Amino acid sequence: MPELISKEMPIGDVMQKYPSSIDLMIKYGMKFGCSVNTRESVYESARNNGIDDSKIPELVGRLNELAE
């Protein structure tokens, strides 16, 4: 099965295509507000929100489960 969301995908695209993904990303510690950079990749946004590199593949996997 192809991956619908990758760690390189812009966070704005993920949020637009899969609005329910925002709740999941918040549970992982990501913060969203008026200053979110929607051009950052999922990886960059996660790192900038203090999420450890080891948790990012898990987050992307959960996002893909949600997207299916």
Side-chain angles (χ1 to χ4, degrees):
M1 182 175 302
E3 193 176 62
L4 299 172
I5 298 171
S6 71
K7 69 180 188 177
E8 292 84 15
M9 186 178 220
I11 199 80
D13 289 355
V14 175
M15 291 166 38
Q16 183 177 19
K17 290 179 183 177
Y18 311 104
S20 60
S21 68
I22 297 169
D23 290 336
L24 177 63
M25 291 186 281
I26 288 171
K27 288 179 183 175
Y28 271 81
M30 295 174 74
K31 296 166 185 63
F32 297 97
C34 56
S35 64
V36 68
N37 183 350
T38 58
R39 291 187 212 134
E40 282 182 334
S41 68
V42 171
Y43 175 81
E44 292 168 323
S45 187
R47 291 284 295 147
N48 289 339
N49 279 278
I51 298 173
D52 189 77
D53 280 348
S54 65
K55 286 288 197 185
I56 296 173
E58 179 184 318
L59 170 60
V60 172
R62 296 280 311 275
L63 288 168
N64 276 290
E65 288 173 12
L66 186 116
E68 290 174 355

